[in-house]
């Protein structure tokens, strides 16, 4: 895939989906990287909100968790968590909820709770946190994850965050008026839900990726758009911005602390 990795392509492709007008509820991990690359490149006016109550945050390094002090230190303001959910999220003020997934099905339903039986799971995952509310109350939801048959499954083991349920108008039948998952960005492709069935369909392959590669790493029968595009490769600016962000993050989290971050800013 040239001079960039599949994960770098995924992060940059995800960042391009965001605009400066978005108010984005950011998940930790890959969503956070994508949102901050967007903020540092083409969408400087984007409003990033994290679950801990930080509004308009502009972290210099990627947070380890929603409780990372970097988020509060760089935010325009910090509000109590109940206010964050009741006023901002459930009040309809979030345009994009950006989530990751441990397990995902073809209708955008997410599992971050358990792998296997709930009472005797094979793996106990971190849990949903605020993701279930984000999935139903955000104007729309973007999902990012690396592809694998273990992660992209025909049927998830536990419904943590509701996507399109069984497909079709399932959200509407449950009284959920928001759009739900409208975009899935993986390390191999960009997917969008079919307008009628809501099943995720591949609309763009990343450079060097084939249909066979996508199918081999997905647990359901993949559908491809009739007009299949190729994702533009990262630009020099996008790639350097992402790599600089990750280098600062690594230095800070390895004990470099504020001095490491200041040094990176000063060149």
């Amino acid at each position: 895939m040239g001079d960039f990795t599949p994960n770098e392509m995924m992060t940059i492709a995800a960042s391009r989906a965001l605009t400066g007008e978005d108010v984005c509820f950011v998940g930790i991990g890959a969503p956070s990287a994508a949102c901050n690359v967007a903020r540092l490149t083409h969408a400087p006016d984007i409003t990033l909100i994290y679950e801990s109550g930080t509004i308009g945050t502009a972290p210099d390094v990627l947070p380890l968790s929603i409780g990372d002090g970097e988020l509060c230190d760089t935010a325009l303001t910090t509000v109590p968590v109940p206010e964050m959910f009741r006023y901002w999220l459930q009040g309809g003020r979030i345009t994009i909820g950006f989530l990751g997934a441990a397990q995902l099905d073809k209708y955008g339903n997410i599992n971050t709770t358990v792998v296997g039986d709930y009472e005797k799971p094979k793996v106990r995952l971190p849990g949903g946190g605020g993701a279930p509310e984000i999935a139903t109350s955000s104007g729309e939801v973007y999902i990012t994850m690396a592809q694998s048959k273990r992660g992209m499954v025909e049927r998830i083991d536990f419904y943590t965050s509701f996507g399109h349920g069984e497909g079709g108008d399932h959200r509407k039948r449950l009284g959920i008026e928001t759009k739900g998952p409208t975009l899935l960005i993986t390390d191999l492709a960009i997917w969008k839900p079919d307008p009628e069935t809501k099943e995720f369909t591949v609309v763009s392959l990343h450079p060097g990726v084939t249909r066979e590669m996508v199918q081999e790493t997905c647990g359901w029968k993949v559908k491809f758009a009739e007009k299949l595009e190729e994702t533009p490769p990262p630009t020099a600016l996008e790639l350097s911005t992402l790599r600089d962000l990750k280098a600062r993050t690594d230095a800070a989290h390895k004990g470099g602390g504020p001095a490491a971050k200041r040094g990176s800013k000063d060149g």
Side-chain angles (χ1 to χ4, degrees), residues 117-252:
D117 180 76
Y118 183 81
E119 298 299 331
K120 295 182 179 180
K122 295 178 182 177
V123 180
R124 177 72 68 179
L125 300 169
E133 289 79 12
I134 295 169
T136 54
S137 295
S138 299
E140 54 189 301
V141 174
Y142 295 167
I143 303 168
T144 185
M145 68 181 298
Q147 287 198 206
S148 71
K149 284 192 173 180
R150 184 173 62 177
M152 299 176 73
V153 297
E154 186 70 36
R155 184 178 180 84
I156 57 177
D157 293 331
F158 186 91
Y159 276 74
T160 306
S161 303
F162 192 80
H164 293 290
E166 298 170 355
D169 65 347
H170 197 179
R171 283 179 73 90
K172 189 173 183 179
R173 285 188 279 116
L174 293 177
I176 306 172
E177 298 297 330
T178 51
K179 293 180 181 179
T182 58
L183 189 65
L184 167 63
I185 310 99
T186 72
D187 53 342
L188 300 180
I190 297 174
W191 311 56
K192 292 184 178 181
D194 179 89
E196 298 297 327
T197 68
K198 302 302 181 183
E199 179 178 342
F200 270 124
T201 302
V202 176
V203 298
S204 180
L205 296 174
H206 298 335
V209 174
T210 64
R211 294 178 182 230
E212 290 74 22
M213 292 168 66
V214 174
Q215 183 61 76
E216 287 171 0
T217 52
C218 184
W220 66 79
K221 177 67 174 176
V222 177
K223 291 187 177 180
F224 295 88
E226 289 186 12
K227 185 179 179 182
L228 195 59
E229 299 181 353
E230 179 175 287
T231 310
T235 65
L237 174 61
E238 289 171 330
L239 206 52
S240 64
T241 299
L242 174 59
R243 289 176 177 175
D244 288 348
L245 177 60
K246 291 200 168 183
R248 293 196 301 273
T249 300
D250 289 343

Side-chain angles (χ1 to χ4, degrees), residues 23-199:
V23 179
C24 188
F25 210 126
V26 188
I28 295 298
S32 184
C35 290
N36 280 287
V37 168
R39 176 180 62 82
L40 292 167
T41 53
H42 67 277
D45 295 326
I46 191 171
T47 300
L48 301 185
I49 294 177
Y50 287 76
E51 191 178 330
S52 51
T54 53
I55 298 175
T57 189
D60 189 53
V61 300
L62 296 174
L64 288 171
S65 71
I66 60 168
D68 197 313
E70 176 74 9
L71 296 176
C72 190
D73 288 345
T74 61
L76 294 176
T77 188
T78 301
V79 301
V81 172
E83 179 181 330
M84 168 61 65
F85 279 88
R86 182 67 187 95
Y87 180 80
W88 287 89
L89 181 59
Q90 294 173 332
R93 292 170 172 81
I94 306 298
T95 62
I96 304 292
F98 216 129
L99 300 174
Q103 273 190 342
L104 180 79
D105 69 16
K106 61 185 176 182
Y107 296 119
N109 301 300
I110 292 173
N111 172 24
T112 54
T113 303
V114 295
V115 175
D117 180 76
Y118 183 81
E119 298 299 331
K120 295 182 179 180
K122 295 178 182 177
V123 180
R124 177 72 68 179
L125 300 169
E133 289 79 12
I134 295 169
T136 54
S137 295
S138 299
E140 54 189 301
V141 174
Y142 295 167
I143 303 168
T144 185
M145 68 181 298
Q147 287 198 206
S148 71
K149 284 192 173 180
R150 184 173 62 177
M152 299 176 73
V153 297
E154 186 70 36
R155 184 178 180 84
I156 57 177
D157 293 331
F158 186 91
Y159 276 74
T160 306
S161 303
F162 192 80
H164 293 290
E166 298 170 355
D169 65 347
H170 197 179
R171 283 179 73 90
K172 189 173 183 179
R173 285 188 279 116
L174 293 177
I176 306 172
E177 298 297 330
T178 51
K179 293 180 181 179
T182 58
L183 189 65
L184 167 63
I185 310 99
T186 72
D187 53 342
L188 300 180
I190 297 174
W191 311 56
K192 292 184 178 181
D194 179 89
E196 298 297 327
T197 68
K198 302 302 181 183
E199 179 178 342

Side-chain angles (χ1 to χ4, degrees), residues 5-23:
T5 68
N7 277 339
E8 287 175 332
M9 183 72 259
M10 174 178 68
T11 302
I12 289 168
S15 76
R16 293 170 178 165
L18 299 166
T19 73
E21 297 179 354
D22 282 320
V23 179

